[in-house]
Amino acid sequence: MITIHDLDKFYPVGNGQRFQALKKIHLQVDQGEFVAICGKSGSGKSTLLNIIGCLDTFQSGEYTFLGQNVGKLNDQQAAAIRNRHIGFVLQDFSLINNKSVLFNVMLPLYFGKTPYKKMKEMALEALEKVELSSQAHKRANQLSGGQRQRVAIARAIIGNPELILADEPTGALDSETSAKIMELLRKRNEDGITVLVVTHDDTVAGYCRRKITLRDGAVLSDAPIPELDKG
């Protein structure tokens, strides 16, 4: 699904200087994997996730997603890949607070030509998967943090993506709620969706099956994680 070879990413820092955020990244992620991308703040993990999600560009190397050379895509083509194949779950939830839960979940479909009735059916189905269908008509700002993150997951899966990218999805949540969110992501992975989670929390990483650790913009380690015994 994802193949990256010798990928470099630079940011300009003024006076003709530039900072190298990613250095010769090489990795492969197959369909159906559940992967944690870990590292300290500034290690490059969110930058890597943004490139994988076709939200950011890179200067050298190669990135192939579902057989397409992402480095050769224009903005419109990259947007089409994001909308069609990738769901995003962010730490700050990125919900429209004064709109209903149902509206927030349907939002990605408004950019297409899906009829409203079909959008509503798909949104309610997605909310059922995250156990929030009873909250469909509440405003987003009436929900708890954990509920808001579940809405974000429902929004991410409404278009049946092949890939979910979650950037610190439990960073603003307590440990009990974090565990529930990771269980939901694991269930989506069991449905066949590939899931990549950026986290600095080893407990969160423990829900995944593989851990890629970055340090100073480079891959420090890449190893499988033993399966959790949930009892």
Side-chain angles (χ1 to χ4, degrees):
M1 170 180 267
I2 293 167
T3 302
I4 294 176
H5 289 293
D6 292 331
L7 187 144
D8 291 319
K9 171 65 180 178
F10 296 88
Y11 289 109
V13 292
N15 297 321
Q17 302 297 310
R18 57 183 189 167
F19 166 72
Q20 188 167 7
L22 296 175
K23 305 170 184 176
K24 301 300 179 186
I25 298 293
H26 178 87
L27 63 88
Q28 180 167 329
V29 177
D30 294 330
Q31 180 72 43
E33 287 202 77
F34 193 3
V35 181
I37 300 176
C38 301
K40 295 181 179 179
S41 178
S43 63
K45 55 189 187 296
S46 290
T47 298
L48 177 59
L49 201 75
N50 285 338
I51 289 173
I52 291 173
C54 302
L55 292 168
D56 202 354
T57 58
F58 52 94
Q59 280 71 38
S60 62
E62 185 174 288
Y63 167 34
T64 302
F65 177 67
L66 293 175
Q68 296 194 65
N69 188 333
V70 174
K72 295 184 177 180
L73 301 179
N74 59 36
D75 290 346
Q76 186 176 2
Q77 291 168 328
I81 284 181
R82 289 196 303 270
N83 294 337
R84 203 171 300 155
H85 302 291
I86 303 174
F88 296 89
V89 180
L90 306 176
Q91 178 178 344
D92 64 358
F93 318 132
S94 296
L95 303 180
I96 301 175
N97 285 325
N98 64 347
K99 294 292 186 179
S100 71
V101 167
L102 192 65
F103 175 89
N104 274 280
V105 176
M106 290 192 297
L107 192 57
L109 301 182
Y110 278 103
F111 300 104
K113 297 181 180 180
T114 309
Y116 178 82
K117 183 179 179 180
K118 180 64 175 177
M119 284 196 297
K120 184 176 180 180
E121 289 175 358
M122 292 171 68
L124 289 172
E125 181 180 347
L127 284 168
E128 183 70 30
K129 289 180 179 179
V130 299
E131 302 175 0
L132 267 186
S133 55
S134 64
Q135 309 296 315
H137 299 292
K138 282 189 176 182
R139 291 194 308 275
N141 58 10
Q142 294 178 296
L143 304 182
S144 68
Q147 288 174 322
R148 288 161 64 82
Q149 192 60 292
R150 282 193 275 164
V151 173
I153 293 173
R155 182 184 57 196
I157 65 175
I158 190 172
N160 296 314
E162 288 95 335
L163 174 66
I164 289 177
L165 300 178
D167 193 355
E168 298 284 5
T170 65
L173 305 175
D174 61 74
S175 57
E176 182 179 353
T177 306
S178 295
K180 292 177 180 178
I181 293 301
M182 291 309 299
E183 285 290 353
L184 283 172
L185 288 173
R186 187 157 73 163
K187 287 179 181 178
R188 303 290 70 80
N189 177 247
E190 290 171 353
D191 291 338
I193 300 175
T194 306
V195 180
L196 271 62
V197 179
V198 159
T199 183
H200 64 276
D201 187 332
D202 285 340
T203 301
V204 169
Y207 283 84
C208 304
R209 301 279 68 80
R210 175 183 169 195
K211 181 179 179 181
I212 298 170
T213 302
L214 301 183
R215 186 171 68 185
D216 298 329
V219 175
L220 178 65
S221 62
D222 184 348
I225 298 174
E227 187 171 356
L228 282 176
D229 181 6
K230 289 298 183 180

